[in-house]
Every structure is written in C-alpha cells, then in structure tokens.
DNA sequence: CGCATTTGACCCGCGC
DNA sequence: GCGCGGGTCAAATGCG
C-alpha cells in the first residue's frame, strides 16, 4: 500500500514516529513528541469519558468483544478446551480472543478464505512444522498438530481446528512457551497478516491485521524501519476498514488499565530510543 | 535430493 | 479390564 495513503480513522495517529529525513533539531523533535503525547492523552480521556459503560465491559471477563468470538468457540468443538480453561486468565484484543492459563492459550481467528481444511494456518510470527492431523469426534473438520520449527528444543505445540459451527473461524490452541524469540530462520515475514500471540510475551503494539480484519496483533517491540502503529494501519486493506479496526481496537483496549499502562510505558521507551540524546 | 507434509499405526490416559 | 478417543510417531509421498 502506498505510504501516502492513510486510513481515515488513523489520521494523525502517532505521526511522531514518521521518519524525518532532515536534520531538524532534537529539541523540535522533543517538542513534537510531547505535543503528540498530550494529544493522545486528551483523545483517550475524551473517549473514556464518552463511553463509561465500556469500562465495566472491559473489567468483566465476559466482555462484549470476547463474548462474540468466545461464544462461537465454546459452542463448538473448542468448547471442551475452553471450559477447561474456565479459570484461566483472559486477554483480548479486538476480534481475537485469547484465553490463557500458565502455558495454554486458545486463540480464535478468522480463517483465510484460501485456507482449506488441509491447510489450516494461524500465522503468529513463528514457524511451525505439522506433525499430525486427526479428525476428532465432536468436529467434522480435522485438527492439525504443529510443533515449533524454529528451535528443535522449543516445547511449544499448536493445535489448529476449524470451528464446527462457524467454519470461517479457526481455533488455535498453544501449549507451552517459546524458549526463543518469535522469529523465523528464513524470515517468515508477517507484514499485515498475523494473529496475536506475540503480545503474550512482549508489550503491545505494532499492529498487524489479517485480510479479514478479524485479527489484530499488537507488538510495540516490532519497530522496524518505518514500522509503527500508523505504518501498520496504512497496510490495512481500505481506509474504511482501517477506521473500523481502530475503533474496535480502541473500544476494547481503552478501558484496560494494564494495557494503558503498558502502552504508556512502551511509547515512552520508544520516544527515548528515537531521541538518543534525550 | 532434501525437506516438509501426509497419513495410518501405535501409545496412553480416562471413563465405564 | 476394556474400549474409546486424543495425541504422537514414523514411513511414504510430494514438491521445489
């Protein structure tokens, strides 16, 4: 997508990370950063003020967004796994439900239209090697078993199965934790097509959105050249689409105090990194 | 030819 | 103890 294009919903979002080719003074940069911070804080404050009901939703494990995806999940083949994790800590980002216990996470993601039953894939920045497939009793669609292919010693396993009732949904269950960084040896790049799992290990927030728009991953540690929330959002299929995504993301995250704190911290760190002399 | 995927067989845990 | 079902193994197969 053309860098010049920008989803309307993200207009003005974090322009501070835009690369400056000029040798404009660090002071000026700092001023812009501070101004941007003020704007962001004001915007978030206004949003929170306008939607106090979302605070209650966000603090409830059965929050609205989680309910949409989770309900589908639990009513189907993934119900057993989901029930087993009834006491698990829950994390969520718009459109994606992650239920986690210490080492088990269930992730719902919209399947790519091109995904066949034999080609289930939930991209998450890791390389996986399929080692088995099984048709389970309560789901006509086969369950695929994957191991992390990046490191032979990596204990992480992943199960992916199409939802029996909503076949456009994939349910991925992760077991264990990667003992290496989320990176593939041959660079399985996931520019705008990944599902969230990395946030479990890193602070949110670069934004990766799959083409269906139901899956968003945030990873602030993923700040390659030109990479930023703004840049990532530019890769969203259409400006309208991006706007919707932004709204959904904001709605689901803005009342999460932990997320906001993490976001603030991460943004501050990035500012410091971008201004070495600061 | 090497590597990833497929797929049938086998193992193991759990419920009856 | 037995049967069932989920999970894993490993040989066969396909593909680049």
């Amino acid at each position: 997508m053309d860098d010049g294009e920008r989803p309307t919903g993200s207009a003005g979002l974090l322009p501070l990370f835009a690369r400056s080719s000029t040798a404009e003074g660090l002071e000026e940069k700092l001023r812009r950063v501070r101004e941007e911070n003020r704007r962001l804080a004001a915007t978030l404050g206004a949003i929170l003020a306008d939607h106090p009901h979302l605070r209650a939703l966000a603090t409830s494990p059965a929050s609205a967004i989680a309910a949409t995806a989770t309900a589908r999940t639990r009513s189907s083949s993934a119900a057993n796994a989901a029930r087993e994790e009834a006491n698990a800590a829950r994390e969520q980002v718009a459109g994606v439900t992650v239920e986690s216990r210490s080492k088990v996470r269930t992730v719902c993601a919209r399947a790519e239209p091109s995904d066949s039953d034999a080609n289930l894939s939930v991209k998450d920045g890791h390389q996986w090697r399929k080692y088995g497939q099984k048709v389970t009793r309560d789901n006509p669609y086969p369950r695929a078993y994957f191991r992390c292919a990046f490191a032979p010693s990596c204990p992480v396993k992943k199960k992916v199965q199409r939802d029996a009732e909503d076949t456009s949904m994939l349910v991925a269950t992760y077991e264990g934790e990667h003992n290496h960084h989320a990176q593939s040896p041959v660079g399985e790049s996931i520019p705008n097509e990944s599902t969230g799992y990395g946030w479990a290990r890193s602070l949110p927030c670069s934004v990766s959105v799959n083409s269906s728009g139901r899956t968003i991953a945030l990873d602030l540690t993923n700040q390659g050249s030109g990479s930023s929330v703004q840049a990532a959002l530019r890769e969203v299929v259409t400006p309208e689409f991006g706007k919707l995504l932004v709204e959904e993301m904001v709605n689901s995250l803005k009342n999460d105090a932990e997320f906001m704190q993490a976001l603030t911290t991460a943004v501050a760190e990035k500012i410091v990194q971008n201004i070495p002399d600061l």
Side-chain angles (χ1 to χ4, degrees), chain A residues 2-276:
Chain A
D2 187 346
D3 275 357
E5 291 179 9
R6 174 181 300 168
T8 56
S10 65
L13 191 67
L14 294 180
L16 60 96
F17 290 143
R19 291 192 171 261
S20 168
S21 57
T22 70
E24 150 183 59
L26 289 176
E27 238 178 47
E28 171 65 16
K29 229 174 181 177
L30 179 58
R31 243 193 331 269
R32 286 164 50 201
V33 165
R34 285 174 174 159
E35 187 182 336
E36 190 60 31
N37 273 341
R38 277 195 299 271
R39 283 176 48 201
L40 285 171
T43 302
L44 281 170
I47 291 171
L48 290 174
D50 287 348
H51 304 281
H53 62 284
L54 289 174
R55 186 180 303 278
L57 287 175
T59 55
S60 162
S63 67
I65 291 175
T68 57
T70 308
R72 268 194 296 272
T73 304
R74 292 188 170 174
S75 63
S76 65
S77 63
N80 290 339
R83 272 193 294 270
E84 286 173 7
E85 295 166 13
N87 296 323
R90 294 176 186 181
E91 305 168 39
Q92 78 213 17
V93 174
V96 176
T97 298
V98 179
E99 298 190 28
S100 66
R101 194 156 45 191
S102 57
K103 291 188 177 181
V104 180
R105 290 171 184 275
T106 300
V107 177
C108 297
R110 182 73 62 179
E112 294 296 316
S114 59
D115 285 344
S116 65
D117 290 341
N119 186 31
L120 296 174
S121 65
V122 174
K123 297 184 179 70
D124 47 29
H126 291 277
Q127 271 210 327
W128 300 95
R129 172 169 299 181
K130 188 175 181 179
Y131 68 89
Q133 180 170 310
K134 191 94 174 179
V135 175
T136 54
R137 210 176 61 134
D138 50 2
N139 190 328
Y141 298 97
R143 174 182 298 167
Y145 298 88
F146 298 89
R147 280 198 188 93
C148 180
F150 178 67
S153 61
C154 182
V156 179
K157 291 175 186 173
K158 176 171 88 168
K159 292 180 283 188
V160 180
Q161 190 170 31
R162 193 176 291 273
D163 192 304
E165 293 189 354
D166 184 351
T167 59
S168 65
M169 293 295 293
L170 290 181
V171 179
T173 302
Y174 296 85
E175 293 180 32
E177 293 181 1
H178 293 280
N179 55 14
H180 55 88
H181 287 98
Q183 192 172 4
S184 64
V186 292
E188 179 193 327
S189 62
I190 46 170
N192 60 353
E193 197 176 4
S194 72
T195 55
Y197 181 52
W199 65 68
R201 171 178 304 278
S202 58
L203 273 176
C205 282
S206 88
V207 181
S208 303
V209 187
N210 77 358
S211 56
S212 68
R214 295 286 304 181
T215 303
I216 303 170
L218 300 175
D219 186 355
L220 264 186
T221 63
N222 182 18
Q223 293 286 339
S225 68
S227 172
S228 67
V229 172
Q230 183 184 15
L233 286 173
R234 275 202 294 270
E235 296 183 6
V236 173
V237 182
T238 67
E240 256 185 8
F241 197 44
K243 186 177 181 179
L244 284 173
L245 288 171
V246 169
E247 286 174 0
E248 196 167 7
M249 287 162 57
V250 170
N251 284 340
S252 62
L253 293 174
K254 62 192 176 187
N255 284 326
D256 187 329
E258 286 184 17
F259 172 78
M260 291 309 297
Q261 171 134 18
L263 178 61
T264 304
T265 304
V267 168
E269 284 175 1
K270 291 315 292 183
I271 291 171
V272 171
Q273 286 172 18
N274 280 285
I275 308 174

